[in-house]
Amino acid sequence: MGRQPCCDKVGLKKGPWTAEEDRKLMNFILTNGQCCWRAVPKLAGLLRCGKSCRLRWTNYLRPDLKRGLLSDYEEKMVIDLHSQLGNRWSKIASHLPGRTDNEIKNHWNTHIKKKLRKMGIDPLTHKPLSIVEQEDEEPVKKLQKVQVPLQEPVKKTLEEPSNTKNMLTLEEPQDDDQFMAMNLDYGLEDVPLMDPESLELICSNSTMSSSTSTSSNSSNDSSFLKDLQFPADFEWSDYGNSSNNEGVDNIIENNMMSLWDVDDFSSWDLLLSSTFGLV
DNA sequence: AACTAGCTCAACCGCGAGAAG
DNA sequence: CCTTCTCGCGGTTGAGCTAGT
């Protein structure tokens, strides 16, 4: 007969987390690792539901998280990925180490959207606004779907190879307007994205510097992290390759913090040309 | 100084997919 | 095979902050 409900919502605390709750959750995960979220609040002595604990951990407490504003380079990555994936924030986040889907989603809605509109680009379609407006005025043209086999190199970069979806679906217009016509309709597994090795290569070839915005903007609420001592048997299997007994600062610094702080992309030209074909 | 409007982002909500019983 | 649950995701909300008047 199924399982027990994840949490009976009676008597559970909601709203902002206190430093004490953070400490309890952090200590519990660091000691026991991530297991069954349903059991976490009970075992950690928290009056929260498992879902809330998971969210707090993934969006705020995880030691590999980068804090602060997204760098220019990260922003460009987000835009590029969004043009291919749409609002699949978790997929986008998986290509930006140390960033969460929530963070990227918020940044998109509050910063990038405006920025793109200001530049005359529709954040939804990634097309120039003038064209989007034209499209809105014209009656919607029916698009006819055709299937095109993926090129080999593209297939190799697929993040989650699928047996059934090795085809890119193109929407072919019924008129002659090439630009408006080509509307790539990627399947979730079909997007040709960089693999981690390629990303590493890019990072290692780029000028690395620790950005002031990412490394020093940590929230005061999480300052206790710096005092946390990691248990001797704790393994960072999911968060990097650091050896045991390292403090939070070292782990974050050695593995993640500066990975994406690439300062040598000062203009948007590269992005514009690669993503939108502009400039 | 007081009020208001706009902005930011942490947290919640509801849903779907897949797993478990 | 069906029901129930867990997990993860994307959309939305609202408290707190800031800038403008």
Side-chain angles (χ1 to χ4, degrees):
Chain A
M1 277 273 280
R3 299 180 188 171
Q4 295 172 338
C6 123
C7 51
D8 54 344
K9 300 206 171 184
V10 188
L12 290 183
K13 193 167 176 266
K14 283 165 77 173
W17 281 64
T18 63
E20 178 63 22
E21 286 177 312
D22 280 349
R23 195 175 289 114
K24 281 183 181 176
L25 179 59
M26 191 77 178
N27 278 329
F28 178 81
I29 304 282
L30 292 182
T31 310
N32 303 287
Q34 287 178 69
C35 54
C36 172
W37 284 111
R38 186 178 147 256
V40 166
K42 205 173 183 181
L43 295 170
L46 291 161
L47 284 171
R48 298 272 181 175
C49 78
K51 200 172 177 177
S52 181
C53 293
R54 181 178 57 79
L55 216 65
R56 184 65 179 168
W57 172 257
T58 50
N59 287 338
Y60 199 81
L61 296 176
R62 263 166 51 196
D64 63 323
L65 286 181
K66 287 167 78 172
R67 313 296 305 178
L69 288 171
L70 271 72
S71 65
D72 279 353
Y73 181 71
E74 286 174 315
E75 219 167 69
K76 282 162 199 156
M77 282 283 288
V78 170
I79 295 168
D80 192 23
L81 290 163
H82 186 272
S83 72
Q84 300 171 63
L85 293 159
N87 293 359
R88 294 183 180 107
W89 305 115
S90 63
K91 281 277 166 198
I92 294 172
S94 69
H95 291 265
L96 294 164
R99 299 295 186 182
T100 68
D101 53 353
N102 209 32
E103 194 177 9
I104 291 169
K105 181 171 59 185
N106 281 334
H107 191 77
W108 178 269
N109 287 327
T110 56
H111 294 101
I112 301 179
K113 258 183 170 177
K114 286 180 201 165
K115 222 169 190 174
L116 289 178
R117 283 208 189 95
K118 224 173 174 178
M119 296 164 69
I121 294 159
D122 180 45
L124 222 72
T125 60
H126 293 258
K127 292 176 186 175
L129 272 173
S130 53
I131 289 173
V132 175
E133 281 158 13
Q134 272 179 33
E135 279 178 341
D136 285 346
E137 283 167 18
E138 287 177 23
V140 181
K141 287 173 180 155
K142 291 268 178 185
L143 295 173
Q144 184 185 355
K145 291 202 171 187
V146 294
Q147 296 235 292
V148 179
L150 285 177
Q151 299 292 317
E152 262 327 294
V154 173
K155 279 185 189 173
K156 280 180 184 170
T157 64
L158 291 180
E159 192 180 40
E160 295 168 7
S162 154
N163 294 331
T164 56
K165 296 195 75 179
N166 278 336
M167 304 285 276
L168 268 183
T169 303
L170 297 182
E171 290 186 344
E172 191 181 54
Q174 292 180 319
D175 68 15
D176 293 332
D177 189 333
Q178 288 288 317
F179 185 80
M180 290 169 64
M182 279 315 236
N183 184 7
L184 286 174
D185 179 17
Y186 292 107
L188 184 61
E189 293 82 18
D190 295 335
V191 184
L193 297 171
M194 281 188 235
D195 54 41
E197 280 179 23
S198 313
L199 292 175
E200 265 179 46
L201 198 67
I202 289 169
C203 290
S204 64
N205 288 339
S206 304
T207 311
M208 302 307 260
S209 63
S210 48
S211 137
T212 49
S213 65
T214 51
S215 57
S216 62
N217 277 8
S218 301
S219 157
N220 290 336
D221 289 349
S222 62
S223 59
F224 77 90
L225 294 178
K226 294 174 191 249
D227 303 326
L228 252 172
Q229 295 299 314
F230 290 82
D233 56 348
F234 182 73
E235 287 183 9
W236 289 92
S237 53
D238 290 333
Y239 302 108
N241 302 318
S242 291
S243 57
N244 296 335
N245 299 325
E246 279 185 296
V248 173
D249 281 348
N250 286 342
I251 289 166
I252 293 172
E253 217 153 288
N254 292 342
N255 291 293
M256 300 294 178
M257 284 306 257
S258 62
L259 199 59
W260 292 92
D261 294 340
V262 183
D263 291 332
D264 53 348
F265 288 85
S266 54
S267 84
W268 284 58
D269 293 354
L270 183 66
L271 169 81
L272 290 172
S273 57
S274 63
T275 308
F276 307 115
L278 300 174
V279 180

